[in-house]
C-alpha cells in the first residue's frame, strides 16, 4: 500500500504531470460543462437579443439591462433578493451557532439529534418544500387547522401564510432557513472543534462566563469558518429559486419574487432568454465582490 | 426581427455547435442520439407531448384509443407523454434548445414566441376546413401572425371559462341562477360573506386561472392590453374602473388566500365548500361528478359575467399544437392532426365537454348534447355554455395573441396589477400606469 | 496567598477502569513552589486540572484557602493557570490578552492599563503589547501567558508544563526566569512537569506521582537522597539508581556513589569487581556501564558515574566500591523503602 502510494505520488508529482491532469479532469470537466458553459452562455445572451424560438442572435449592448431595470417586477425582485438573503443568513447564522454549541458536548442521543438535524439538508429540496407548501396551504394548512381548533383564529379569517406579502416573505425565508441551517451547523461544528480546547478553558480560568467566552473568544476565532459558511449560504440563497418557486411562484403580486425566479419566469416561461439572462447575471459583479471580500476576510482571520 | 438584421448576427445553431451541446435540455437528446438507426426504422414513430388533462378520461381516450387506432392505420408507433401544465413552457424551451424532442407539441396558450421554430400550419387548417368548415375566430386570433402571415400553431379545441357558483348560498342571497353581471357578483358575494363567512374565490395570484379571470374583468369593463393593431392601450379609464371594482370585491368578499393560489387551488376551494364563486373551466364539477361528492348538486355553472361594456371572458385554455421545425416526423404529425379532427366528436364526449371545438361542425349538436349530460345532475347544468362563442375570446383581445402578449401573460403583469390594487398597496391609477409602462417595455423588446 | 489541599481526591474517567488520580492527599505551604513530577499518564495534569476546576473529581475534596471549592467554577476559585500550549487568544493583541482576565472579572476599566503595564514590565514584554501572538517567539509567548496569569494577582498559580514547548537553550533561561519571578511575587505555585531536572531545580517540594498515586512528597533533596520506593529511586536521577536484588531486599545506590575503591575515603564500604562494557564521555564526567564480576550478585548490570581523571579500557575489570551509608534498601515485594540491614555480598 505504502509502496503504491509512493509510486503514484512520485509519478504524479514529478514524472508524469499527465496523471495529475487525468485525475483532475473530471472535476474540471464538471465545472466547465455544468457551471462554466451555462454561465458563459448566460453572459453571452445577456448582451444579445436571444429569444427561445429565434434563430439568430445580435449583439445589443446594454439594451437588455436598460430594459429590465425599468421593470417594476425586476425592481421588486432585486429588493426581495437582498431582503431574502440577508434575513435568512442572519437567522441561519444565529440558529446554526446555537445548534453547534448545543451539539458540541457529548450527551445521550447526540448522534440521533445530529442525524435528525441534518435531514432537511439531505432530503431533496423540492420534496421538503412541497411538504411546507401543504403545511402552509390556504385551504389545508395544518397550522391553520390547529389555530382554528384552538379557537385562536376564525375559520374564514385565517392567516394566509403565503397570501399576505409580509407573511409570505417570512414563510419563504423561514422555509429556506429550515433547509440551510443543517448545512451551516455542520460547517460551524467543524469550526468549533478546530478551536484548541485549552483556549475556552483558559477563558474560563480567566473568569469569563459563557457569553463572554462565546462572543469574545469562540466566535472571533471562528471568523474564517463563519465567513465560509456565510459565503456559501449567501450564494445558495441568492441563487436559489426552488423554495420561492414552489411555495409562492413569486406571489402574492411579486412580493416574494426573487431574481432567480424572475429570471426563470422571464427567460424560460416568458421565452425572453436575453432579458432572463440579463436578470440572472445582473448581480454577478456584486456577488463576485462579496465572495472576494469574504474569502479575503477568512484568509486574514486564518493568518491571525 | 428576422428582417433587416440578417447577416449581422451569429446563427444560434452555429453558436450551439461551437459551444457543444448546450446544457439545457441535453437529457432529451438521449435515446434518439444513441440509436439513430432505430429512429429511422421502417416502422415510423410519432411522439406527442401534451398536458395531463384536467379530465383524466380524455387522456385515457386519446392515449389508448385515438392514437393507437391512427398508429395502426398509418404504420406508426405513437407515443404520448403527458406532463403537468405548468411545466409545458419549460419543456418547450429545452426541446428548442436541444433541437430534439417531440414531433407534436401542444401548448395551452398561444405560443407565438416559437414562431421561428415551428412549421407553418396553413395547410393543416386548409385540409381540415375542407371537411369540417371554417374555424372560429378565437382559433385564428390565437395561432396566426398577421405580420408574417403564418399560422404558427393549430388549434383543435379551447375550453370555456365560465363561472362556478354555490347554488344554495347564491339562492339565499337572491340569485337562484348565480350571478349574471359583475355587479351581481359583488353584491351577492358580499351578502354571502357577511352572512356565513364564505368568501368569493376570484383568483389574484400569479397563475393561469387568475390571469384569465382578471382579463375577463378587464375586458368586461372595456379595458384591454392592446388594440387590434397591437398598440398598448392598457392605461385607460375603463381599466381603472375594473381595478376599482376588483378592489371593492376583494375587500368586501375575499380573503388573502386568493394571492396564494396555483391552478388547482380554486378547484379545491370550491369542492371543499369554502368559496361561493370561482371562475374556472368545468373541471370542478366534473371532479365532483366523478367522485360523487356531496357538494356536486350545489355547484352551478354560469356564463361569463356581463360588465358595463360587454359580456366576455377568455378561453380558459387554448389547445395549440405545433410541429417543430426540427421534428423527425413532420409529415406524420400534420397528417395525424388532420385525421384527428375527423374523430374530434369522440374526444368531445370522452373529455366530458371540456374540449370545445374550434371547428363547430365537428360537433353539430353541441347545444343539445351539453344540455342533456347523463353524468351531470341536473343534466342541463352545462346548458349555459351553449352560447359560449358569443362571449369567449383569445388572450390579447381585441388583437392577436402575439409573442409580446405571451411574455406579458407569463410574467403575470395583469393579475399583479389587480392584486396590488385589491390589497390597497397601489392606487388604481398608479397601478394601471405602471402596468401600461411594463407592457410598453415588453412590446418594445419585439420591435 | 492561599494553601491548596486535597482530601482523598480521585478521578475515574471510565467506570470500572483504574483511576487517573487515586486518593490523593496533599497540602501546599504558603507561598511555596510545589512540583508535580511523574511520567506521562501519571495523573499529574489531571490532578492539576481538578484543582483548576476544569475537571470534576469523582470523589474527594479540594480546598483552597481552607474552603471546599469542588462546586466552584474556575472563575470563582481565584486561580491562574498557564497551559502547556499557553492558550493565548490568537485574535487578540498581547495587551488585550493580558487585559482579558481583568475585563472578565469586572475590574474597573481605568485600572486595566496600569495593571497590564505592571504585569508586562515584570516580565519584560512592555514593547510587545500591540503584537498578535503569532508574531511572538516561544519564549515571548510564555511570558505573555505568565503576564496574563499574574495580572489579576491570583491566590494560586497553576503551571502545566510551561517549558516543554521551548527548545533546550531557551528552556534553561526561561526556567531561571520563572524561579526569579516566583521569588518576586511569592504566590503559591503548583508546577506540573515530567522533567526531573526542572523539578529538582525549581521545586521547594516535589510530589512524585505514578499511576495516579502519590509515591513521595518531599524536598528535592529528600526525594533524591531518600526515595520512598524503587519507582522514585529510578525516576529521579540520570542515569538512575542502580538496583540489585540481594536476599530478601533490593539494594540501591546512585551511579555517582559507585566509584573506584582506591579513591574512597570511607571505611564502611562494599567492594565490587566491575567489568566495564561501555563508556560514554560527557565532557566533565564518564558514564560507565558494565557488570559486577564474582560474589553473590555476579553478572548484575550497574552504571557508574565518575569525574574525569582516570582512564578505563573496555572489557577490563576494576576494583569499585559503594560507601555503606549510601546504600538504600527496598522490600522485594512492595518495593517500598525499608530500614538498612547487614547483608553479605560475597
Amino acid at each position: 500500500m505504502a509502496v503504491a502510494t509512493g509510486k503514484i505520488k512520485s509519478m504524479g508529482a514529478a514524472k508524469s504531470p499527465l496523471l495529475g491532469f487525468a485525475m483532475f479532469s473530471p472535476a474540471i470537466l464538471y465545472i466547465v460543462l455544468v457551471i462554466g458553459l451555462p454561465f458563459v452562455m448566460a453572459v453571452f445572451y445577456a448582451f444579445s437579443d436571444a429569444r427561445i424560438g429565434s434563430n439568430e442572435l445580435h449583439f445589443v449592448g446594454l439594451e437588455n439591462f436598460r430594459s429590465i431595470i425599468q421593470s417594476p417586477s425586476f425592481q421588486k425582485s432585486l429588493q426581495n433578493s437582498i431582503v431574502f438573503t440577508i434575513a435568512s443568513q442572519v437567522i441561519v447564522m444565529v440558529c446554526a451557532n446555537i445548534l453547534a454549541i448545543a451539539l458540541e458536548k457529548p450527551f445521550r442521543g447526540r448522534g440521533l439529534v445530529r442525524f435528525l438535524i441534518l435531514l432537511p439538508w439531505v432530503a431533496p429540496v423540492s420534496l421538503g418544500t412541497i411538504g411546507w407548501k401543504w403545511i402552509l396551504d390556504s385551504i389545508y394548512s395544518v397550522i391553520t387547522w390547529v389555530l382554528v381548533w384552538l379557537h385562536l383564529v376564525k375559520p374564514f379569517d385565517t392567516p394566509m401564510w403565503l397570501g399576505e406579502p409580509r407573511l409570505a416573505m417570512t414563510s419563504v425565508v423561514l422555509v429556506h432557513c429550515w433547509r440551510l441551517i443543517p448545512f451551516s451547523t455542520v460547517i460551524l461544528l467543524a469550526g468549533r472543534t478546530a478551536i484548541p480546547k485549552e483556549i475556552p478553558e483558559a477563558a474560563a480560568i480567566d473568569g469569563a462566563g459563557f457569553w463572554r467566552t462565546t462572543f469574545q473568544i469562540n466566535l472571533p476565532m471562528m471568523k474564517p469558518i463563519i465567513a465560509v459558511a456565510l459565503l456559501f449560504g449567501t450564494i445558495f440563497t441568492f441563487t436559489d429559486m426552488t423554495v420561492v418557486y414552489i411555495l409562492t411562484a413569486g406571489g402574492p403580486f411579486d412580493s416574494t419574487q426573487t431574481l432567480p425566479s424572475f429570471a426563470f419566469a422571464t427567460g424560460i416561461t416568458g421565452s425572453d432568454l436575453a432579458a432572463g439572462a440579463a436578470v440572472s447575471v445582473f448581480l454577478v459583479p456584486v456577488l463576485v465582490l462579496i465572495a472576494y471580500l469574504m474569502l479575503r476576510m477568512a484568509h486574514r482571520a486564518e493568518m491571525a | 426581427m428576422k428582417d433587416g438584421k440578417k447577416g449581422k448576427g451569429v446563427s444560434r445553431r452555429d453558436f450551439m455547435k461551437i459551444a457543444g451541446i448546450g446544457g439545457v435540455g441535453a437529457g432529451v437528446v438521449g435515446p434518439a442520439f444513441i440509436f439513430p438507426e432505430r429512429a429511422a426504422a421502417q416502422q415510423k414513430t410519432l411522439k406527442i407531448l401534451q398536458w395531463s388533462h384536467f379530465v383524466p378520461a380524455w387522456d385515457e381516450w386519446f392515449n389508448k384509443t385515438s392514437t393507437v387506432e391512427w398508429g395502426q392505420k398509418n404504420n406508426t408507433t405513437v407515443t404520448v407523454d403527458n406532463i403537468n401544465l405548468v411545466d409545458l413552457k419549460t419543456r418547450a424551451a429545452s426541446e428548442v434548445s436541444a433541437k430534439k424532442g417531440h414531433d407534436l407539441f401542444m401548448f395551452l396558450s398561444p405560443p407565438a414566441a416559437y414562431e421561428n421554430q415551428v412549421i407553418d400550419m396553413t395547410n393543416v387548417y386548409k385540409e381540415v376546413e375542407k371537411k369540417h368548415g371554417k374555424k372560429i375566430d378565437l382559433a385564428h386570433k390565437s395561432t396566426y401572425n398577421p405580420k408574417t402571415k403564418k399560422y404558427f400553431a393549430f388549434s383543435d379545441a379551447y375550453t370555456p371559462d365560465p363561472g362556478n357558483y354555490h347554488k344554495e348560498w347564491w339562492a339565499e342571497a337572491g340569485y337562484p341562477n348565480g350571478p349574471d353581471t359583475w355587479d351581481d357578483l359583488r353584491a351577492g358575494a358580499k351578502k354571502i360573506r357577511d352572512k356565513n363567512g364564505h368568501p368569493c374565490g376570484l383568483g389574484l395570484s400569479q397563475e393561469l386561472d387568475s390571469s384569465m379571470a382578471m382579463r375577463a374583468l378587464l375586458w368586461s369593463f372595456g379595458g384591454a392590453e392592446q388594440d387590434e393593431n397591437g398598440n398598448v392601450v392598457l392605461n385607460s379609464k375603463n381599466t381603472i374602473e375594473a381595478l376599482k371594482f376588483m378592489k371593492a370585491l376583494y375587500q368586501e368578499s375575499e380573503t388573502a388566500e386568493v394571492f396564494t393560489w396555483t391552478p388547482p387551488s380554486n378547484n379545491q376551494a370550491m369542492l371543499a365548500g369554502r368559496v361561493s364563486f370561482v371562475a374556472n373551466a368545468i373541471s370542478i364539477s366534473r371532479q365532483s361528478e366523478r367522485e360523487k361528492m356531496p357538494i356536486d348538486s350545489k355547484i352551478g355553472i354560469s356564463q361569463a359575467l356581463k360588465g358595463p361594456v360587454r359580456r366576455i371572458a377568455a378561453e380558459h385554455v387554448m389547445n395549440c399544437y405545433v410541429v417543430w421545425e426540427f421534428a423527425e416526423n413532420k409529415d406524420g404529425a400534420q397528417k395525424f392532426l388532420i385525421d384527428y379532427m375527423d374523430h374530434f366528436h369522440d374526444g368531445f364526449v370522452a373529455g366530458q365537454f371540456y374540449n370545445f371545438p374550434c371547428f363547430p361542425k365537428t360537433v353539430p349538436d353541441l347545444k343539445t348534447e351539453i344540455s342533456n349530460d347523463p353524468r351531470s345532475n341536473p343534466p342541463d347544468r352545462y346548458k349555459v355554455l351553449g352560447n359560449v362563442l358569443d362571449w369567449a375570446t383569445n388572450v390579447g383581445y381585441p388583437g392577436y395573441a402575439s409573442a409580446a402578449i405571451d411574455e406579458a401573460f407569463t410574467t403575470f403583469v395583469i393579475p399583479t396589477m389587480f392584486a396590488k390594487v385589491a390589497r390597497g398597496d397601489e392606487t388604481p391609477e398608479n397601478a394601471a400606469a405602471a402596468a401600461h409602462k411594463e407592457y410598453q417595455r415588453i412590446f418594445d423588446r419585439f420591435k | 496567598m492561599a494553601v491548596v489541599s486535597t482530601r482523598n481526591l480521585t478521578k475515574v474517567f471510565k467506570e470500572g477502569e483504574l483511576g487517573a488520580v487515586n486518593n490523593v492527599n496533599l497540602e501546599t505551604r504558603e507561598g511555596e513552589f510545589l512540583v508535580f513530577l511523574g511520567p506521562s499518564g501519571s495523573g499529574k495534569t489531571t490532578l492539576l486540572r481538578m484543582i483548576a476546576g476544569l475537571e470534576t473529581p469523582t470523589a474527594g475534596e479540594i480546598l483552597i484557602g481552607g474552603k471546599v471549592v469542588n462546586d466552584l467554577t474556575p472563575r470563582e476559585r481565584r486561580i491562574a493557570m498557564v497551559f502547556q500550549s499557553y492558550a493565548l487568544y490568537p485574535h487578540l493583541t498581547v495587551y488585550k490578552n493580558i487585559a482579558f482576565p481583568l475585563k472578565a472579572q469586572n475590574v474597573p476599566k481605568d485600572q486595566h492599563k496600569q495593571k497590564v503595564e505592571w504585569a508586562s514590565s515584570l516580565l519584560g514584554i512592555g514593547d510587545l503589547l500591540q503584537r498578535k501572538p503569532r508574531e511572538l517567539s516561544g519564549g515571548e509567548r510564555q511570558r505573555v501567558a505568565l503576564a496574563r496569569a499574574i495580572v489579576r494577582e491570583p491566590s494560586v498559580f497553576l503551571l502545566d508544563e510551561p517549558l516543554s514547548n521551548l527548545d533546550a537553550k531557551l528552556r534553561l533561561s526561561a526556567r531561571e526566569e520563572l524561579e526569579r519571578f516566583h521569588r518576586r511575587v511569592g504566590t503559591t505555585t503548583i508546577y506540573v512537569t515530567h522533567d526531573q531536572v526542572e523539578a529538582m531545580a525549581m521545586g521547594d517540594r516535589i510530589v512524585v506521582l505514578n499511576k495516579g498515586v502519590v509515591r513521595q512528597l518531599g524536598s528535592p533533596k529528600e526525594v533524591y537522597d531518600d526515595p520512598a520506593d524503587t519507582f522514585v529511586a529510578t525516576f529521579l536521577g540520570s542515569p538512575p539508581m542502580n538496583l540489585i536484588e540481594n536476599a530478601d531486599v533490593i539494594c540501591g545506590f546512585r551511579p555517582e556513589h559507585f566509584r573506584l575503591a582506591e579513591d574512597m575515603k570511607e571505611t564502611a564500604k562494599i567492594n565490587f569487581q566491575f567489568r566495564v562494557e561501555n563508556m560514554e564521555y560527557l565532557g566533565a564526567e564518564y558514564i560507565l556501564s558494565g557488570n559486577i564480576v564474582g560474589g553473590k550478585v555476579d553478572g548484575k548490570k550497574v552504571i557508574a558515574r565518575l569525574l574525569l581523571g582516570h582512564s578505563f579500557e573496555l572489557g577490563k575489570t576494576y576494583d569499585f566500591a559503594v560507601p555503606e551509608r549510601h546504600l538504600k534498601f527496598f522490600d522485594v515485594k512492595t518495593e517500598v523503602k525499608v530500614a538498612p540491614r547487614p547483608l553479605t555480598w560475597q
Side-chain angles (χ1 to χ4, degrees):
Chain A
M1 185 65 200
V3 177
T5 325
K7 219 176 190 177
I8 286 171
K9 236 185 214 166
S10 67
M11 273 169 72
K15 284 178 200 154
S16 162
L18 268 179
L19 181 67
F21 186 75
M23 307 282 260
F24 218 72
S25 55
I28 293 177
L29 212 64
Y30 173 83
I31 290 172
V32 167
L33 288 182
V34 180
I35 300 164
L37 190 63
F39 177 73
V40 171
M41 282 172 75
V43 173
F44 189 83
Y45 284 164
F47 293 97
S48 77
D49 61 354
R51 299 190 158 276
I52 289 176
S54 65
N55 279 319
E56 42 187 53
L57 294 178
H58 306 88
F59 178 74
V60 296
L62 292 170
E63 167 58 27
N64 293 315
F65 295 96
R66 195 194 61 77
S67 175
I68 55 162
I69 285 173
Q70 293 171 358
S71 161
S73 297
F74 172 78
Q75 293 158 8
K76 187 73 186 159
S77 305
L78 180 60
Q79 189 190 329
N80 286 340
S81 270
I82 294 167
V83 171
F84 179 53
T85 305
I86 293 177
S88 56
Q89 282 316 298
V90 168
I91 297 171
V92 165
M93 280 302 136
V94 171
C95 294
N97 267 303
I98 293 173
L99 277 176
I101 292 170
L103 290 176
E104 194 187 14
K105 295 230 168 71
F107 56 87
R108 191 184 288 260
R110 179 173 69 159
L112 183 71
V113 174
R114 279 191 180 188
F115 168 74
L116 288 178
I117 284 177
L118 255 183
L119 270 185
W121 179 254
V122 179
V125 49
S126 45
L127 278 188
T129 314
I130 287 171
W132 278 105
K133 180 150 181 72
W134 291 337
I135 292 172
L136 301 170
D137 188 86
S138 62
I139 305 171
Y140 304 117
S141 163
V142 276
I143 301 176
T144 307
W145 187 84
V146 170
L147 291 179
V148 169
W149 184 71
L150 291 173
H151 294 285
L152 289 175
V153 299
K154 285 191 208 140
F156 290 110
D157 285 300
T158 53
M160 287 299 153
W161 308 112
L162 302 174
E164 298 282 347
R166 289 243 170 82
L167 265 183
M169 193 48 148
T170 310
S171 302
V172 170
V173 166
L174 290 182
V175 170
H176 187 69
C177 290
W178 166 84
R179 185 171 103 76
L180 210 55
I181 283 171
F183 171 76
S184 300
T185 305
V186 169
I187 293 189
L188 293 182
L189 257 179
R192 288 189 76 80
T193 37
I195 299 178
K197 75 173 175 27
E198 293 91 41
I199 301 252
E201 284 179 357
I205 284 180
D206 283 345
F210 170 79
W211 297 109
R212 189 182 293 275
T213 310
T214 300
F215 283 103
Q216 293 184 1
I217 303 295
N218 287 342
L219 286 183
M221 284 188 71
M222 286 165 67
K223 225 157 99 183
I225 206 87
I226 288 178
V228 169
L230 204 58
L231 178 62
F232 275 83
T234 304
I235 289 172
F236 280 146
T237 310
F238 221 100
T239 56
D240 179 83
M241 66 166 269
T242 324
V243 172
V244 168
Y245 187 70
I246 293 179
L247 278 189
T248 64
F253 47 88
D254 283 340
S255 53
T256 60
Q257 193 79 273
T258 56
L259 289 180
S261 60
F262 183 63
F264 181 78
T266 312
I268 305 297
T269 56
S271 45
D272 193 343
L273 266 187
V279 171
S280 63
V281 302
F282 189 79
L283 278 189
V284 164
V286 181
L287 282 184
V288 167
L289 190 71
I290 292 176
Y292 170 74
L293 290 177
M294 281 189 179
L295 286 178
R296 204 173 67 161
M297 184 180 100
H299 183 67
R300 273 195 183 164
E302 204 166 17
M303 297 302 290
Chain B
M1 175 163 159
K2 230 177 163 181
D3 308 316
K5 290 181 183 172
K6 228 175 192 175
K8 242 198 308 180
V10 186
S11 132
R12 262 272 282 286
R13 197 179 278 267
D14 284 347
F15 178 69
M16 295 298 280
K17 266 186 210 153
I18 298 162
I21 298 159
V24 192
V28 188
V29 187
F33 191 71
I34 299 167
F35 307 110
E37 296 302 318
R38 189 182 293 181
Q42 305 96 328
Q43 174 102 16
K44 284 188 208 147
T45 59
L46 179 68
K47 287 178 285 175
I48 303 173
L49 184 136
Q50 56 198 16
W51 70 320
S52 301
H53 205 284
F54 262 133
V55 179
W58 191 87
D59 281 343
E60 186 83 5
W61 168 79
F62 187 82
N63 297 2
K64 296 200 179 147
T65 308
S66 171
T67 50
V68 172
E69 283 172 3
W70 186 86
Q72 281 161 358
K73 268 184 217 157
N74 293 278
N75 191 27
T76 304
T77 312
V78 185
T79 54
V80 185
D81 294 322
N82 299 104
I83 63 172
N84 190 317
L85 78 160
V86 296
D87 296 328
L88 282 171
K89 291 244 169 148
T90 317
R91 185 54 178 264
S94 63
E95 293 202 358
V96 166
S97 297
K99 298 262 184 284
K100 267 289 191 252
H102 293 80
D103 301 303
L104 207 49
F105 192 106
M106 193 188 91
F107 288 89
L108 282 181
S109 56
Y114 289 87
E115 184 178 336
N116 289 335
Q117 298 289 343
V118 298
I119 65 167
D120 192 342
M121 287 291 197
T122 308
N123 275 332
V124 179
Y125 271 125
K126 266 189 190 153
E127 289 299 315
V128 174
E129 285 182 338
K130 269 184 209 165
K131 280 195 235 171
H132 303 292
K134 266 186 73 73
K135 59 183 169 298
I136 57 174
D137 189 51
L138 175 53
H140 172 71
K141 285 269 181 61
S142 298
T143 58
Y144 185 68
N145 182 346
K147 281 185 200 153
T148 58
K149 310 215 179 328
K150 175 174 176 178
Y151 281 104
F152 47 80
F154 173 81
S155 274
D156 66 312
Y158 69 100
T159 299
D161 198 28
N164 295 248
Y165 64 97
H166 193 285
K167 285 199 243 175
E168 245 171 49
W169 304 334
W170 280 89
E172 284 168 23
Y175 302 91
N177 295 316
D180 183 56
T181 66
W182 286 99
D183 285 335
D184 289 352
L185 178 70
R186 185 175 158 193
K190 184 175 188 313
K191 270 190 197 164
I192 295 168
R193 170 82 169 144
D194 290 347
K195 189 173 173 215
N196 58 19
H198 290 284
C200 174
L202 214 55
L204 285 168
S205 179
Q206 311 206 336
E207 48 94 29
L208 178 75
D209 293 0
S210 302
S211 296
M212 296 309 185
M214 289 307 106
R215 278 175 172 77
L217 173 58
L218 180 70
W219 295 326
S220 307
F221 276 71
E225 301 151 277
Q226 62 176 2
D227 63 15
E228 289 92 335
N229 303 317
N231 302 308
V232 177
V233 295
L234 185 57
N235 190 6
S236 67
K237 241 173 51 201
N238 305 58
T239 301
I240 291 168
E241 286 309 309
L243 286 167
K244 284 181 182 159
F245 175 88
M246 189 61 227
K247 180 176 184 177
L249 177 67
Y250 171 77
Q251 295 189 340
E252 289 164 4
S253 316
E254 297 207 325
T255 69
E257 69 193 311
V258 295
F259 299 122
T260 74
W261 281 356
T262 56
S265 299
N266 54 11
N267 298 44
Q268 291 160 2
M270 193 78 202
L271 293 171
R274 183 179 161 83
V275 295
S276 61
F277 179 91
V278 302
N280 203 342
I282 61 173
S283 50
I284 295 177
S285 44
R286 285 310 187 195
Q287 189 182 345
S288 64
E289 288 160 12
R290 189 170 63 241
E291 295 173 12
K292 302 197 168 41
M293 296 172 137
I295 197 158
D296 180 53
S297 61
K298 292 177 187 141
I299 298 175
I301 305 288
S302 66
Q303 56 180 336
L305 300 176
K306 190 169 182 298
V309 175
R310 54 176 86 90
R311 182 190 299 279
I312 194 169
E315 32 73 17
H316 184 75
V317 295
M318 196 76 213
N319 287 9
C320 296
Y321 281 103
V322 301
V323 178
W324 298 129
E325 193 70 68
F326 50 82
E328 280 164 19
N329 191 358
K330 289 183 219 172
D331 295 340
Q334 295 178 74
K335 181 162 194 316
F336 174 82
L337 285 178
I338 296 165
D339 295 345
Y340 160 68
M341 292 314 293
D342 294 344
H343 305 284
F344 185 84
H345 184 258
D346 296 347
F348 178 70
V349 175
Q352 301 165 4
F353 311 156
Y354 191 90
N355 289 12
F356 269 52
C358 284
F359 297 87
K361 286 194 180 155
T362 54
V363 188
D365 298 325
L366 186 135
K367 281 189 191 179
T368 330
E369 277 188 69
I370 59 174
S371 305
N372 286 294
D373 188 334
R375 280 171 299 261
S376 164
N377 172 35
D380 64 348
R381 176 176 3 217
Y382 303 107
K383 193 179 168 188
V384 292
L385 299 179
N387 64 347
V388 59
L389 284 177
D390 298 342
W391 48 264
T393 190
N394 61 294
V395 172
Y397 168 89
Y400 285 85
S402 65
I405 282 291
D406 187 45
E407 183 173 337
F409 185 89
T410 46
T411 47
F412 303 108
V413 181
I414 295 291
T416 300
M417 170 181 80
F418 274 100
K420 277 185 180 164
V421 173
R423 247 191 66 92
D425 287 14
E426 192 80 270
T427 66
E429 289 77 11
N430 287 348
H436 183 94
K437 218 176 125 199
E438 181 66 355
Y439 261 82
Q440 196 61 61
R441 183 186 74 82
I442 293 170
F443 272 57
D444 285 346
R445 294 186 60 76
F446 288 87
K447 276 185 182 151
Chain C
M1 303 301 130
V3 166
V4 177
S5 57
T6 68
R7 288 186 194 149
N8 303 322
L9 196 60
T10 300
K11 176 73 186 179
V12 181
F13 280 109
K14 241 188 184 165
E15 233 172 293
E17 279 184 12
L18 219 62
V21 172
N22 296 305
N23 245 343
V24 168
N25 289 287
L26 285 173
E27 185 160 293
T28 67
R29 291 174 189 153
E30 192 75 50
E32 89 169 325
F33 199 104
L34 184 69
V35 177
F36 291 175
L37 176 68
S40 54
S42 60
K44 57 191 189 303
T45 297
T46 307
L47 185 56
L48 188 79
R49 288 169 59 83
M50 282 195 282
I51 294 168
L54 296 173
E55 230 44 273
T56 320
T58 313
E61 285 178 338
I62 303 159
L63 293 90
I64 296 178
K67 251 175 53 192
V68 177
V69 297
N70 282 35
D71 295 332
L72 298 188
T73 61
R75 167 197 175 107
E76 293 158 334
R77 297 185 188 194
R78 302 213 350 100
I79 41 124
M81 182 161 167
V82 175
F83 291 79
Q84 183 173 359
S85 62
Y86 309 136
L88 298 180
Y89 309 127
H91 57 293
L92 300 179
T93 60
V94 168
Y95 180 92
K96 285 186 177 162
N97 261 281
I98 299 173
F100 186 80
L102 302 176
K103 259 166 74 181
Q105 305 201 337
N106 300 321
V107 173
K109 218 168 180 175
D110 49 327
Q111 297 177 23
H112 288 193
K113 192 159 186 273
Q114 175 223 331
K115 283 190 186 253
V116 170
E117 272 164 9
W118 165 75
S120 55
S121 66
L122 199 63
L123 286 146
I125 49 170
D127 50 342
L128 303 178
L129 289 179
Q130 292 318 315
R131 299 221 194 141
K132 288 269 182 77
R134 72 187 148 94
E135 298 164 324
L136 303 178
S137 70
E140 287 167 339
R141 284 180 203 186
Q142 188 217 15
R143 275 180 270 175
V144 174
L146 278 171
R148 187 176 70 184
I150 61 160
V151 72
R152 65 202 135 124
E153 298 162 65
S155 51
V156 179
F157 263 136
L158 305 176
L159 307 176
D160 185 8
E161 309 216 19
L163 302 182
S164 62
N165 280 356
L166 304 178
D167 60 51
K169 208 170 154 194
L170 199 57
R171 200 176 300 174
L172 197 68
S173 61
R175 194 170 87 197
E176 281 174 13
E177 219 169 284
L178 262 181
E179 289 172 66
R180 233 180 296 136
F181 171 71
H182 177 250
R183 276 198 297 274
R184 207 139 113 204
V185 297
T187 308
T188 308
T189 302
I190 299 178
Y191 185 100
V192 165
T193 184
H194 65 271
D195 183 334
Q196 42 137 339
V197 181
E198 268 176 34
M200 299 287 289
M202 300 168 83
D204 290 329
R205 289 191 302 159
I206 298 174
V207 178
V208 185
L209 283 150
N210 189 35
K211 294 181 179 162
V213 174
V214 175
R215 294 304 181 106
Q216 190 169 5
L217 169 57
S219 67
K221 193 168 161 47
E222 285 167 353
V223 174
Y224 189 80
D225 288 348
D226 199 10
D229 58 20
T230 55
F231 173 80
V232 180
T234 50
F235 190 71
L236 279 111
S238 172
M241 185 179 270
N242 295 304
L243 294 177
I244 299 173
E245 212 175 310
N246 185 350
D248 60 342
V249 292
I250 299 170
C251 275
F253 51 90
R254 293 270 171 207
E256 58 267 31
H257 297 138
F258 187 55
R259 290 175 309 196
L260 280 169
E262 61 197 64
D263 290 353
M264 207 165 284
K265 290 169 199 129
E266 288 93 339
T267 45
K269 62 184 175 186
I270 296 152
N271 289 300
F272 294 103
Q273 293 289 301
F274 176 54
R275 188 169 64 233
V276 179
E277 300 285 0
N278 191 30
M279 188 160 65
E280 286 173 6
Y281 171 66
L282 295 181
E285 57 186 17
Y286 288 114
I287 306 292
L288 303 178
S289 53
N291 299 320
I292 287 169
V293 182
K296 266 172 90 177
V297 293
D298 179 47
K300 280 273 162 15
K301 283 196 99 151
V302 285
I303 297 173
R305 186 166 152 192
L306 290 127
L307 294 175
L308 298 180
H310 292 276
S311 53
F312 296 95
E313 273 180 55
L314 294 186
K316 281 204 171 168
T317 307
Y318 299 90
D319 278 336
F320 268 62
V322 179
E324 253 178 41
R325 62 183 174 93
H326 286 309
L327 269 188
K328 313 292 169 198
F329 296 83
F330 305 97
D331 187 89
V332 169
K333 278 194 197 117
T334 62
E335 303 190 336
V336 171
K337 187 176 78 174
V338 292
R341 66 178 75 173
L343 282 176
T344 55
W345 292 92
Q346 299 308 321

